Amino acid sequence: MATWLPTVWTIEDLGPVVGLLDTNASGQARIEAVNDAGVAVGAAPVVNSAGVAEEHAVIFDKAAIVDIHPTNARQTFAQDINHDGWIVGDIDLAVSRHGFVRSPVGAMSVLKTPAGTVRSGANSISNSGQIVGAYRLTFGTYDWKGLSWGPPAPTSTTNPAVIHSPNVAVSSAHLVNDAGRIAGRVWAEPTMGGGGAGIYEGGLWMPLQVIGPGEWAEVEDMNASGTVVGWSDLLPTGLYPFIYEAGVLTKIPSLWPTIGVEYPRGISDSGEVVGQGSSSTSPGGAFFFSKANGLRRLDALLPKNSGWILDSAEAISPSGWIIVGFGRFAGQMRFFRMTRGVKYLSEPESRYVPETWVGRGSGLDDGGIGIGPHGPIPIPPWVARLSQSTTLGMNEVIQALLVHESANALTDSDLRRSIQPQLLKRASDLLARMSELAAQSGAIRKIKKIRHPSRLAMRKEISDSARSRKRTKR
C-alpha cells in the first residue's frame, strides 16, 4: 500500500540545448509549448547534406526526441501543441513559408490562406482545434493580418477567417483558448518597428494599455479563463512583465529589480506564471509566480542537491503540472521537464487519505487525477476502498495521524510545517468531540488521552453485559 502527498517536484533531462538532433550543428534548440501529457514541441538546428544549417520541428516525447521535419521542406518550426497532440507551426517550402497542422498520427498539412498570400504562419491551437496565425500579401511592406482556422482541427482545404479590424494597421493572432478568445500583436502603423499587445473581441482588436515608454509589447501565453501574460519594454530600465486579467493589467513582481529583464513565458489555468529573468547586478534564472505564494526561483521547488541550475522556464502546461525549459546540469546546457505531483510513500495504512486532498467526484474507483489545494494529485484506485471503523469519527482521526507521519518525508519543509500542526489539531479536536459525545450519551467507552497523537491507543470496549455483572457484584 502507499500514500500520495502533494507539491513534490521531479525533474527529467530532455537532452542538450546544443546538438539536440545534430552534433555538427552549433545553434541552440528551443522549446515552445507543452501539454498535460508532458509532450513538448519546438525546433532544433540540423546541418543538411549540403552543409547548410536549417531548423527542424521536434517533439520532446516521453520516450525520445522526434524529428517531424518532412523531406520536402527547407525548415520547420513547431509552435504549439494541444491536449490531443495536434501540433501547429511554420513550414518553409521551396516557394515561401506557411503555417502547418500535424495530426496526432503524424499527418502534416499546409494550411490554406487567402488568395495572393506570399507568407503565413500558425502560432497557436486550442483543445477544440481552432488555430490562429497571420498572413501577408506583399513583400517589402508590413501588411500582416491575423487568421483563424477551425474548429475543429482544419485540413489543407479549410478556409480561414481573417482576424483584423480597421482600428489597427497591422495585426497578428498569437494565442487562442478553448473559449475562442484571441490575443496577439497589433501595430498602429505598417512598420516593422514597435508593436503592441492586443485582445481580439467582438470583431475588434483592442490594444492593451501597457505601462512603459518603450515601443514594444508582447503577449506570451493565455489560459482557459482568458488571462494573458506578456511584457512591455521600459527602456532603459528593463522590461515590465504583466498579467492582464478581467480588463486589469498588473505588474508581475521581479527578483531582478535593477535594470532587469523579465520574460513571462507561460501561464497555467490556475494563474501560475513561469519565465526567465536577469539583471545587470545579479545572475538570472527561471522563475515561478503565483498569487498565493508570490515569486520565487524555480530552482527552489526542486529537491535539495538536484544538481540543476534552472536558467529559463519556457512553458507550463494548462494544469500547471508540467514545466519545461533549459538549465545547467553537470556543467552542460540541458533541456528539462519538471513534473509536479505528489510524493509516493510506502505506508502500511496508506489507504487512509484525506478526502479534501483528492477532491470529490474524481472517479476514485478507477483512480485518475484529482485537484487538491496544492495542485493535481494522482489518485490510486484503492483510495475509495477505505476500511470503515465502527466508532464514529475514528476513520478521520486515523487518516489525520497517518498522513501526519507520512508528511515527515516531504521535501517541501514549508508545506510540512504548514500541514502537520493542522493534522494534529484535527485529530485532537475529533478525539475531544468524540469523548464529549460519548459522555453525553452515557456510554462508558473511553478514549485514552495520549501525549503523542501519532501513537494512538484506545482501551478495549467493555460490553454492556460485563458492565451489568460489575454492578451486580457491588
Side-chain angles (χ1 to χ4, degrees), residues 396-469:
E396 288 78 5
V397 174
I398 295 173
Q399 289 176 27
L401 296 177
L402 286 172
V403 177
H404 169 272
E405 293 301 294
S406 299
N408 287 321
L410 280 173
T411 57
D412 189 333
S413 57
D414 291 337
L415 175 63
R416 184 173 64 250
R417 286 192 294 268
S418 171
I419 67 173
Q420 284 191 317
Q422 298 177 42
L423 290 165
L424 290 178
K425 185 177 186 303
R426 171 68 172 165
S428 178
D429 290 347
L430 282 168
L431 287 170
R433 181 58 177 161
M434 289 164 63
S435 297
E436 179 184 343
L437 290 173
Q440 290 175 356
S441 65
I444 65 169
R445 180 186 301 124
K446 296 181 180 179
I447 300 173
K448 183 180 179 181
K449 185 178 180 181
I450 55 173
R451 293 182 179 276
H452 196 302
S454 63
R455 296 188 178 93
L456 184 65
M458 296 188 66
R459 292 182 177 178
K460 189 177 181 180
E461 296 182 11
I462 303 174
S463 66
D464 290 340
S465 59
R467 293 199 298 270
S468 299
R469 287 194 297 271

Side-chain angles (χ1 to χ4, degrees), residues 99 101 108-113 149 153-160:
V101 58
M108 184 179 289
S109 302
V110 177
L111 293 166
K112 189 176 181 179
T113 55
W149 299 263
T155 67
S156 59
T157 60
T158 302
N159 290 316

Side-chain angles (χ1 to χ4, degrees), residues 221-260:
D221 198 15
M222 177 169 55
N223 66 14
S225 64
T227 302
V228 174
V229 292
W231 51 268
S232 62
D233 57 2
L234 282 174
L235 298 176
T237 59
L239 295 178
Y240 184 99
F242 65 79
I243 297 176
Y244 181 78
E245 182 177 17
V248 178
L249 187 143
T250 57
K251 186 179 186 299
I252 299 173
S254 179
L255 294 172
W256 303 273
T258 306
I259 313 181

Side-chain angles (χ1 to χ4, degrees), residues 42-298:
V46 171
V47 177
N48 64 22
S49 58
V52 178
E54 59 188 26
E55 294 274 338
H56 285 199
V58 296
I59 298 174
F60 296 80
D61 209 342
K62 285 288 188 178
I65 306 298
V66 182
D67 185 343
I68 60 172
H69 181 82
T71 56
N72 66 331
R74 292 191 297 188
Q75 298 197 91
T76 49
F77 312 86
Q79 304 278 26
D80 197 15
I81 182 171
N82 71 6
H83 71 69
D84 290 327
W86 288 86
I87 298 170
V88 297
D90 296 351
I91 181 169
D92 193 348
L93 301 169
V95 179
S96 61
R97 181 180 297 181
H98 291 286
F100 75 80
V101 58
R102 183 182 187 271
S103 75
V105 297
M108 184 179 289
S109 302
V110 177
L111 293 166
K112 189 176 181 179
T113 55
T117 297
V118 297
R119 187 170 177 177
S120 66
N123 298 320
S124 178
I125 181 169
S126 71
N127 290 328
S128 64
Q130 183 178 2
I131 298 171
V132 296
Y135 78 106
R136 64 190 303 187
L137 295 175
T138 57
F139 289 114
T141 61
Y142 216 56
D143 62 345
W144 289 96
K145 291 181 174 64
L147 281 181
S148 173
W149 299 263
T155 67
S156 59
T157 60
T158 302
N159 290 316
V162 177
I163 305 298
H164 192 67
S165 59
N167 63 314
V168 296
V170 182
S171 63
S172 179
H174 288 189
L175 306 165
V176 62
N177 67 8
D178 288 343
R181 185 177 175 87
I182 295 171
R185 190 190 300 163
V186 293
W187 291 257
E189 300 293 335
T191 62
M192 294 186 66
I199 301 293
Y200 186 78
E201 288 182 338
L204 189 69
W205 278 105
M206 299 184 298
L208 300 185
Q209 298 301 312
V210 298
I211 299 172
E215 298 180 345
W216 195 269
E218 184 69 273
V219 290
E220 292 285 351
D221 198 15
M222 177 169 55
N223 66 14
S225 64
T227 302
V228 174
V229 292
W231 51 268
S232 62
D233 57 2
L234 282 174
L235 298 176
T237 59
L239 295 178
Y240 184 99
F242 65 79
I243 297 176
Y244 181 78
E245 182 177 17
V248 178
L249 187 143
T250 57
K251 186 179 186 299
I252 299 173
S254 179
L255 294 172
W256 303 273
T258 306
I259 313 181
V261 292
E262 192 167 321
Y263 297 96
R265 296 296 194 189
I267 182 171
S268 71
D269 287 344
S270 59
E272 296 159 326
V273 181
V274 298
Q276 174 193 26
S278 64
S279 80
S280 60
T281 58
S282 62
F287 71 80
F288 181 92
F289 171 77
S290 68
K291 290 182 179 179
N293 298 309
L295 188 72
R296 67 177 74 180
R297 291 185 65 98
L298 192 60

Side-chain angles (χ1 to χ4, degrees), residues 337-351:
R337 175 171 49 223
M338 283 177 60
T339 302
R340 171 175 53 185
V342 291
K343 183 74 173 178
Y344 183 80
L345 301 170
S346 295
E347 191 69 39
E349 299 291 338
S350 59
R351 59 185 180 275

